[in-house]
Amino acid sequence: MIAKRWVRGLVGGVIAVGALAGCEVPPPPEAAPGPTAPVRAPSASRPARPPQPDRPSQPGAQPCPEGGVRLREAGGDAAMGLRLASLALVNCGTEPYVLDGYPELRVLDRQGAPVEVSAATGTNGVTTSVRGVEAAPRKMTLRPGAEATFSMVWRNTVTDVTVPAVEGWEIEVVPRPGAARVRLRLTQPVDLGNTGRLGYGPWIERETR
């Protein structure tokens, strides 16, 4: 009796084990995804800098006129109403520039109109003698970058109170016969009073280092 119960229990255990063995075991659940690094929004790229305009190699540099030369003020002096001023002609071009003798000049007012003045070579009766104004004219060649000067002399005198005093604020120069006119706006006027007379000298080559 005991042997039968043992056989039944053994058979039942075998069937149970077989049943379990025949069943499919479900796969383990997938691992939960771990924390990931936050995704940064793409940063806005910096706008491209607009192209910068070319700057002149020297601050305050002026463009060279079409004729290849320009005028500049080159100093002056005033004593007891007698005025002396010098202007320089600069060869700002790329070719040698030949000068010979005297420039041709006109004195202009603030509006650019010619003033009434007798302009002549030498002292023109303004004074007896002025260095540079009475120099001997000669021919010269200005290399690029070189310059030559000429001097002007006049008096700031009012000889007739009924005649308005005259001031020139621009000088217009023809450096050599046939050349283009060159103008210069002055920082100090040619204050002629009402003398109406101005003298000027020849071109003098200026030494440059």
Side-chain angles (χ1 to χ4, degrees):
M1 190 70 177
I2 295 172
K4 288 182 181 180
R5 288 179 181 174
W6 180 82
V7 171
R8 287 177 183 173
L10 178 61
V11 172
V14 171
I15 294 172
V17 171
L20 290 174
C23 294
E24 294 183 359
V25 179
E30 295 182 1
T36 58
V39 178
R40 295 182 180 179
S43 58
S45 59
R46 294 183 179 180
R49 294 182 62 184
Q52 300 297 319
D54 293 336
R55 296 182 179 178
S57 55
Q58 297 180 354
Q62 300 176 357
C64 189
E66 193 172 329
V69 291
R70 64 168 173 257
L71 285 172
R72 70 172 184 84
E73 293 175 295
D77 194 11
M80 299 298 291
L82 184 65
R83 305 287 198 252
L84 180 67
S86 294
L87 299 183
L89 184 78
V90 183
N91 181 359
C92 54
T94 58
E95 300 294 332
Y97 196 90
V98 178
L99 295 172
D100 190 3
Y102 296 88
E104 176 189 328
L105 68 86
R106 288 198 305 172
V107 183
L108 313 174
D109 62 15
R110 286 182 183 273
Q111 288 72 42
V115 302
E116 301 225 353
V117 56
S118 168
T121 59
T123 59
N124 193 23
V126 174
T127 187
T128 55
S129 179
V130 177
R131 182 180 177 183
V133 174
E134 293 186 320
R138 66 184 185 86
K139 189 174 182 178
M140 65 192 68
T141 301
L142 302 180
R143 67 185 184 281
E147 58 186 50
T149 62
F150 74 93
S151 298
M152 303 180 296
V153 63
W154 71 93
R155 285 192 182 275
N156 176 26
T157 305
V158 175
T159 57
D160 186 348
V161 294
T162 64
V163 178
V166 172
E167 285 188 346
W169 283 94
E170 282 189 78
I171 298 294
E172 184 180 73
V173 169
V174 178
R176 62 187 183 188
R181 296 179 181 271
V182 186
R183 279 192 183 186
L184 175 67
R185 184 76 174 181
L186 303 172
T187 58
Q188 297 294 327
V190 178
D191 50 352
L192 295 161
N194 53 26
T195 60
R197 185 174 293 179
L198 178 143
Y200 62 96
W203 291 114
I204 298 175
E205 191 168 7
R206 187 183 180 98
E207 295 182 2
T208 55
R209 295 181 180 180

